Amino acid sequence: MTDPDLLYSEEEEALRAAVRDLLADHCDPAAVLARVESDAPHDLQLWKALTDGMGLAGLLVPEDRGGQGATHREAAVVLEELGRAVAPVPYLTSAVVATEALLACEDADDLVAELASGRSVGALAVALNVAAGGAVKTVRVENGTLHGELTGIADAAVADVLLVPGDDGGLYAVDAAAATVTPQRALDLTRPPATVTLDGAPARRIGTTEPAVRRALRTAAGLLASEQLGVADWALTETVRYLKDRKQFNRPVGGFQALKHRLAQLWLEVVSLRAAARGAADALATGEDADVAVAVAQAYAAPVAVRATEEALQLHGGIGMTWEHPVHLYLKRAKADSIAYGTAGAHRAALAELVDLQAP
C-alpha cells in the first residue's frame, strides 16, 4: 500500500486554471442569480463550453470507450472549481454519477460514448439522498416497458437519458422524452430535483442495478467532497476579502481579534477538508482503501462546508442576507450537499463498520 498523494500535479493545476478562466467568463455570480430565478436554471451554454470546448464530460471514461482517459483526481479538480462558482451544470450527475453507472454495465458502450462527448446528458434515477449501499427505489418492469414514479432525481429536467432501476434487478436506459419529469421545490436552486413518472416508457436493459448504482454512488460521495471544498473555499476567501475592505470605527473589521480567531479556525477546517477530499479522489483513482477514504471525506466535508457558508453569511452582515448577494446560493448548495449521497452521520456509521470500531 502506498501513501496517498494529496498534492496537485502540474497537469491538475493547469486544468484548474483553464476551468477557472472559463467560469470567470461564463459563470459570474450575477448571471447565476439571474438564471436560478428563471424557469431554466441550468446553464446549457456553459455545459456546452465545458464538454465540447474542453472535453470534461469524458474525464472518467477510458480513451478506447470515447473518453479522455483521465482519473478521479482530475474530475475532482473540475468539481472544486464548479463548486467555487456554484455553477448550474449537470457535471456531477451526468459526467460522474451516470457515467460511472454506465461504466459498470455490460451493454452501454453507445451511451458511455454519448455522455463522454457531452452530446447527451444522463441522470441516474436514484434519489439524491441515497448513499452507496442504501435502499434504492425501483419501478415495475413489464414487457420491456417501465411503470412507476421516482422522486428526488437531481438534474432530471435536463437529462436526455435516464438510467432507471427495475424491480427485476436490472438497470434500464430510458429516453427522457418518454418520461414525465416534474420539477420539485428545491432548496438548492442550482441543482434542482424532479419527480420522474414512467407510464409504459420503452426501456433497454443495460446492466445490473446493484453493482452499477453502488459504484456510481460511492464515486459521487467521494467527489462531492471536492465540490464541497470549492464551496467552503469560496466562502472563506470572499469573507476574508470583505472583512479587509469593510471598515468600522475607522479600521478594517477583519482586524478585530474575535473575527481573526473565527477566520483562523475556519481556515484550519477548510485545509483539513482539502486533505480529506484529495485523499478520497486519490483513493478512487488508485482503488486503494476507497471505501474508507470516501467515508472519511464525507463524514468531514458536509459540516465544514455548511459552517463555512453560515459564517460567510453572518460575517457579510446585512448584505449577505439579501437575495441579490450570491452567498445564499453557496449556503443552499452546502445544505443540499450535506444530505446528498448519504449524510455525515451515515458515513460515520459506515466508517465505524469498515474499520471495526463499533459503538458499545
Side-chain angles (χ1 to χ4, degrees), residues 171-204:
L171 189 65
Y172 290 82
V174 178
D175 187 337
T180 301
V181 178
T182 308
Q184 294 178 253
R185 290 181 65 86
L187 176 65
D188 179 9
L189 302 175
T190 62
R191 184 176 287 147
T195 296
V196 173
T197 304
L198 301 165
D199 187 12
R204 170 165 68 101

Side-chain angles (χ1 to χ4, degrees), residues 117-166:
S117 68
R119 292 190 299 269
S120 294
V121 173
L124 180 64
V126 173
L128 185 63
N129 66 313
V130 175
V136 174
K137 187 177 179 181
T138 62
V139 298
R140 190 175 84 256
V141 181
E142 186 178 302
N143 298 323
T145 62
L146 303 183
H147 305 259
E149 183 178 277
L150 302 166
T151 59
I153 312 304
D155 293 334
V158 290
D160 300 297
V161 59
L162 299 168
L163 309 180
V164 183

